[in-house]
Amino acid sequence: LQVRARPAASTYPVHIGQGLAFKLRDLLGATLGGARVALISDDNVGRLYAEKVRDGIDAPVDLYDFPAGERSKSVPTWERLSARMLGDGHDRSSVVIALGGGVTGDLAGFVASTFMRGVPVVQVPSSLLAMVDASVGGKTGVNAEAGKNLIGAFHAPSAVVMDTTLLRTLPRPLMAEGLAEAIKHGAIRSRAHFDRVVGLASALLEADPNALGEVLPESVAIKAHVVSEDERESGVRSVLNFGHTLGHALERITDFAVPHGCAVALGMVAEARLGERLGVTEAGVADELAEALRACELPQEVPSDISLDDWVALTRGDKKSSAGRGRYVLLRRIGEVHPGENWLHEVPEADVAEVLEKG
Ligand SMILES: NC(=O)c1ccc[n+]([C@@H]2O[C@H](COP(=O)([O-])OP(=O)(O)OC[C@H]3O[C@@H](n4cnc5c(N)ncnc54)[C@H](O)[C@@H]3O)[C@@H](O)[C@H]2O)c1
Ligand SMILES: [Zn+2]
């Protein structure tokens, strides 16, 4: 007897363009097929766009929202949304549309993954971070007391629709945060992409649709390519964590006062310095990264009041680490990750501490 439980890597379209969110009927005809739709967004994005998005769908649509912010990415919000859908008579033929930033994508994706054991989800990201990163890859979930993203499921979307006009209302510091992940995609896989993001940085910060049109497809392609090689994160997918071992620890030590994109920006520079120190990363990469991130209006300095020892200690809590030594994704050069051992390098904490001290 053989049971083949693990599905092959998922395939789904990613549409990128202007105004797409308001004519979903043209893009999703087959996916929706007359199903009832649960359109989930946070209250900021809902107020701005939910009704207009609904008007572009030829199916009965119920609108659901929740208070904006990371705190809503929780079991209670998941429960509340699921209960409301049940109360409104949604069933296994319903489709969830996640309209919003990464919080909405993760939360609504998780609702979809568990509702009646799983209904399709369409991701309509509205923040740059959600476009370049969160909406592609199929990771969904909520936070637990013990840490971020600890309760969740892999639930690939049926389609992803990126409408760059939604970004006109995204505050500029959040555009910068999304650019940190776009820079990361270039740093790990493509020198040309890295240079393009840096060259277009000021237009991208303005949400210029032409600049976004030049950068988004490549960034999404890089993420999608890495994910398709390793959908369930056992190997090469960890290259996407470049900058994130120190970045996640910095977020936690500041109690998320340093937001994700900023923490990753600082983490990438520090991890490049670490790689240079170990002779793994070519000299000059850290300075070049720092310059690129400055062009994207990302911070250059860690808050002065944090304890570097505590920062290093917190990297131990990272799910990638083993005792006494942190595990890091290190670049060989811009555009290329050093293969290390299964893409990771075990680094003694003393080296990390010294790099952070020198800044
Ligand atoms: N699943 C993944 O692979 C993955 C990858 C990266 C990040 N994430 C998750 O994504 C989350 C962060 O995403 P985020 O930065 O988008 O956070 P977010 O969803 O909280 O959005 C940030 C803020 O921007 C607002 N906003 C979003 N789009 C807007 C628009 N078009 N106009 C005006 N305001 C808008 C939101 O209301 C919110 O206040 C984290 O929870 C992180 O864990 C998931
Ligand atoms: Zn990230």
Side-chain angles (χ1 to χ4, degrees):
L1 175 68
Q2 282 214 333
V3 178
R4 198 141 153 232
R6 176 174 291 204
S10 330
T11 305
Y12 44 91
V14 178
H15 307 278
I16 304 174
Q18 298 184 47
L20 302 183
F22 309 118
K23 37 187 180 185
L24 291 180
R25 68 168 70 85
D26 299 344
L27 297 172
L28 302 179
T31 308
L32 298 181
R36 279 184 71 185
V37 172
L39 178 61
I40 301 179
S41 41
D42 72 24
D43 48 8
N44 287 338
V45 175
R47 200 177 312 117
L48 287 165
Y49 299 115
E51 284 175 11
K52 225 177 137 202
V53 169
R54 173 170 64 185
D55 291 345
I57 299 173
D58 288 334
V61 180
D62 293 305
L63 303 185
Y64 299 99
D65 70 359
F66 61 87
E70 186 73 30
R71 276 184 181 287
S72 286
K73 218 176 94 173
S74 67
V75 169
T77 319
W78 163 80
E79 211 267 320
R80 218 161 19 242
L81 290 167
S82 302
R84 286 179 63 194
M85 283 178 62
L86 289 169
D88 290 339
H90 281 276
D91 61 24
R92 66 185 81 254
S93 66
S94 291
V95 173
V96 170
I97 297 182
L99 169 69
V103 164
T104 303
D106 283 8
L107 174 66
F110 187 51
V111 168
S113 79
T114 49
F115 191 79
M116 305 253 167
R117 297 205 182 83
V119 296
V121 63
V122 173
Q123 293 284 352
V124 184
S126 69
S127 72
L128 185 59
L129 187 105
M131 290 187 195
V132 296
D133 196 352
S135 63
V136 174
K139 283 190 186 178
T140 72
V142 296
N143 303 324
E145 280 295 314
K148 271 191 66 167
N149 300 325
L150 294 180
I151 298 168
F154 286 98
H155 190 56
S158 300
V160 185
V161 179
M162 301 188 185
D163 179 347
T164 54
T165 67
L166 300 183
L167 298 173
R168 287 183 196 143
T169 51
L170 189 74
R172 189 173 174 110
L174 291 177
M175 286 299 288
E177 284 199 60
L179 289 182
E181 302 284 358
I183 288 278
K184 180 194 76 182
H185 290 146
I188 62 172
R189 278 287 164 102
S190 164
R191 169 94 228 180
H193 183 59
F194 182 90
D195 290 340
R196 199 167 305 124
V197 175
V198 175
L200 293 169
S202 49
L204 290 165
L205 286 163
E206 300 276 333
D208 176 278
N210 296 324
L212 287 162
E214 279 193 51
V215 160
L216 264 183
E218 179 69 9
S219 224
V220 172
I222 290 171
K223 167 132 194 205
H225 189 248
V226 172
V227 168
S228 68
E229 289 168 56
D230 177 21
E231 196 166 35
R232 299 216 162 212
E233 194 162 52
S234 52
V236 71
R237 188 164 179 161
S238 61
V239 302
L240 294 169
N241 283 325
F242 172 57
H244 283 60
T245 303
L246 285 167
H248 279 148
L250 184 59
E251 278 182 281
R252 284 175 55 211
I253 197 178
T254 61
D255 207 14
F256 300 94
V258 177
H260 184 73
C262 300
V264 168
L266 292 162
M268 286 193 286
V269 174
E271 291 180 13
R273 295 211 192 288
L274 184 61
E276 289 185 29
R277 175 189 167 88
L278 300 169
V280 170
T281 304
E282 282 177 4
V285 166
D287 284 343
E288 189 172 0
L289 263 171
E291 198 47 52
L293 296 164
R294 188 202 319 279
C296 297
E297 297 182 358
L298 286 154
Q300 305 290 301
E301 314 244 331
V302 297
S304 54
D305 55 345
I306 71 161
S307 145
L308 299 182
D309 287 342
D310 292 351
W311 186 6
V312 178
L314 267 182
T315 62
R316 269 175 238 158
D318 196 281
K319 50 183 183 250
K320 298 185 298 315
S321 79
S322 63
R325 302 160 77 85
R327 297 172 77 192
Y328 290 84
V329 175
L330 297 176
L331 299 183
R332 179 128 66 189
R333 55 179 71 87
I334 301 285
E336 194 183 337
V337 172
H338 190 286
E341 202 165 306
N342 208 16
W343 306 101
L344 292 168
H345 298 254
E346 288 218 350
V347 181
E349 285 178 8
D351 286 288
V352 183
E354 216 161 295
V355 164
L356 295 183
E357 226 131 86
K358 286 195 191 135

